[in-house]
Amino acid sequence: MSLSESGIKAPLWLLAELTYRCPLQCPYCSNPLDFARQQQELTTEQWLTVFRQAREMGSVQLGFSGGEPLVRKDLAELIAGARQLGFYTNLITSGIGLTRQKLDTFADAGLDHIQISFQASDETLNAALAGSEKAFHQKLEMAKAIKAHGYPMVLNFVLHRHNIDQIDRIIELCIQLEADDVELATCQFYGWAQLNREGLLPTREQIASAEAVVKRYREKMQAAGNLTNLLFVTPDYYEERPKGCMGGWGAIFMNVTPDGLALPCHSARQLPIEFPSVLDNSLQHIWYQSFGFNRYRGYDWMPEPCRSCDEKEKDFGGCRCQAFMLTGNADNADPVCSKSEHHGKILQARREADCSEIKVSQLRFRNQKNSKVIFTSQG
Ligand code: FES
C-alpha cells in the first residue's frame, strides 16, 4: 500500500525540542518531570537529517523549542539548514541568552519568526516564577531588539492563579512592546504544571474576569486601529467538552525530543507506549508505520462513551495524555468531558482551586535538583 493510499496525511508541523537544558525554572514547564534523566542530545548532523526527512514528507513549519533552544551553540546552523530546506522557522524562547548579535546571526540564517515568553508583567513576580532576578529586564530588552530587527513577534504569557489578575497590565506591556500577536494561554496541565496543579489552576471567577478584560481591550484596541491579535486560551478544566488535542493523534504534528524520540505530542513520553527514535528509524517509517503513531489514529480504538459520540470527529475523545494522567488509562475519554465516568476528577480540581492557598514560593520548580529527586523516587 502506498503512503497516499494509506489515507494518512503528512505532518505539517515539526517541533524540535533541541534540549531540556534551561536557565529558568518555571513551575508550569511542560517538559517531563524526569528530564534530568535525559542527558543525550542529537548532534547537529542528526537534527539536520531529521529536518530533511520531515521536509521530504511535506512538513512546512519547524519550531525550535526546548528547554531553552538558545543554549544550543549550533542553533544558527540548524536554522540555516532548516531554512535552506524550505521550512518556515520559528524560535520559541525565554529570551535568556539572546543578544543583538545573535539576532543578526539568526536573521542571516533566515529565521522567520520569534516567540518570547514572559512570566508576569512585573519584575518581582517574574523573578519569583522564573527563578532569575535578571530575567525580566533581559526579556524587555530582547523584545525591543526583536521588534527593532523587524521580526514578527509573539509575546507569550502562561496564565495561572498567581498572574491572571494582572492581565490588564500584561496587555498594556504587550502594547508597549508592540507585539504582533499575544498569547494569553492559561496553563495546560502537563509535566510540571500537572505536578503543581493545585497551586496553579485559577478559579472560575478569575477566568471570567480575565476574559472580560481581554474583551474590553480587544474593543479598545480595535477602535484605536491597533491590529495586535490577543489570543486568550482558557483552561479545559472549566469546559464540558475536551479539546481536539494536537488536531488529532498523528494527524498534523510531530515532536522530536532532545535525545531523538519521536512523539505525537509534547507530553506523550509519559505514556506506557514505546515510541520510536529517529536514531533507529526514518521519520517516514515513524509517522506512517510505527505502533506509537498509529495507536490512537482514527476512531477504531475508541471505547464508549467516545465510540458512539457524535462529537468524536471534532474532539477525537480529547487528550490521551490527560486521560492517562487522570485515569491511569490513555484509552479512556478525556475526563474533561462531562460524559466521562471520570469527570469527577475535573470537578474535584475545580473545588481545590477554590480553596487553594498555595503561594508561589511553595510551588515545585522545574530544575535539575527537583527532577533528580523525582526520578530517584520513581526508581
Ligand atoms: Fe498528548 Fe494531548 S498532550 S495527546
Side-chain angles (χ1 to χ4, degrees), residues 98 199 201 357:
L98 196 55
L201 183 63
E357 292 184 355

Side-chain angles (χ1 to χ4, degrees), residues 189-190 236 243-246 248-249 264-271 296 318-323 325 334:
F189 293 98
Y190 302 96
D236 53 0
K243 57 184 180 285
C245 199
M246 300 293 136
W249 182 272
C265 66
H266 57 276
S267 198
R269 186 167 205 145
Q270 67 185 312
L271 299 178
Y296 294 112
C319 173
R320 296 306 90 224
C321 298
Q322 194 147 269
M325 286 186 291
D334 185 336

